Amino acid sequence: QQKVQQSPESLIVPEGGMASLNCTSSDRNVDYFWWYRQHSGKSPKMLMSIFSNGEKEEGRFTVHLNKASLHTSLHIRDSQPSDSALYLCAASPPSFSKLVFGQGTSLSVVP
Amino acid sequence: DPKIIQKPKYLVAVTGSEKILICEQYLGHNAMYWYRQSAKKPLEFMFSYSYQKLMDNQTASSRFQPQSSKKNHLDLQITALKPDDSATYFCASSQGTPSGNTLYFGEGSRLIVV
């Protein structure tokens, strides 16, 4: 069964610092990766998606994808306390009808 | 305004009872899903429907039964409730399958079984 592994499990960064989160899929058929953010007590909301090898930047957030290693990473620069949340990586193979989520990385940004 | 409405937001149920979780989406999507999240497990896929037909089912127990009366409705009936069923149940929807299409989540129904 497809698994999505995230690391680290938790991360503490100072305000203004850089947060780096990792994610790897065990299924070689995966074609699409998403990053979702879930604030405490709220529902997950899509942050960024990446489908092609390389890098994608949106504001303070940058996502990398290496399809050969099925590895994606999310980098948050100039981290803010409001970035404190659970970050979920998700993957979907092209022929499947579900999105599989990793266990998440809990990010805390401290002043 | 929330585009995916889940009801109820919170509920407490007695072991052995039955509950129905309601989900309606107003995004015009044709695919709907149920996920479960608890402290013990990550966000866990349960069911997916497309045009009111079951696409995928990862729930081993028949105590969980999805019900789709309309294209934009996907309810979840849970029978013979157990304390282990305590979790937040999220409904989601997408335009087409997850292959390249973003899933949007409702605010969740938090179930506590005592």
Side-chain angles (χ1 to χ4, degrees), chain B residues 19-52:
Chain B
K19 292 293 178 188
I20 295 180
L21 308 182
I22 307 293
C23 178
E24 304 172 59
Q25 57 93 2
Y26 296 95
L27 294 165
H29 291 166
N30 52 45
M32 295 185 71
Y33 312 81
W34 278 103
Y35 281 81
R36 174 171 56 190
Q37 188 177 43
S38 66
K40 299 174 189 175
K41 292 185 177 179
L43 196 57
E44 180 185 16
F45 170 80
M46 299 180 74
F47 300 96
S48 60
Y49 268 65
S50 177
Y51 292 102
Q52 296 184 262

Side-chain angles (χ1 to χ4, degrees), chain B residues 15-17 21 36-38 40 46 61 63-64 78-89 109-113:
Chain B
T15 296
S17 67
L21 308 182
R36 174 171 56 190
Q37 188 177 43
S38 66
K40 299 174 189 175
M46 299 180 74
S61 174
R63 296 187 299 107
F64 296 85
I78 315 174
T79 58
L81 279 161
K82 302 177 180 180
D84 257 1
D85 297 331
S86 297
T88 300
Y89 291 80
S109 290
R110 186 173 177 191
L111 170 65
I112 298 173
V113 183

Side-chain angles (χ1 to χ4, degrees), chain B residues 53-112:
Chain B
K53 291 188 178 177
L54 181 68
M55 284 197 295
D56 201 345
N57 175 0
Q58 290 287 295
T59 304
S61 174
S62 60
R63 296 187 299 107
F64 296 85
Q65 290 293 327
Q67 299 168 346
S68 181
S69 58
K70 297 180 191 177
K71 179 186 164 185
N72 69 328
H73 279 237
L74 185 63
D75 300 336
L76 182 64
Q77 180 185 38
I78 315 174
T79 58
L81 279 161
K82 302 177 180 180
D84 257 1
D85 297 331
S86 297
T88 300
Y89 291 80
F90 288 104
C91 175
S93 70
S94 66
Q95 186 57 44
T97 69
S99 300
N101 294 297
T102 299
L103 259 64
Y104 295 87
F105 286 83
E107 293 303 308
S109 290
R110 186 173 177 191
L111 170 65
I112 298 173

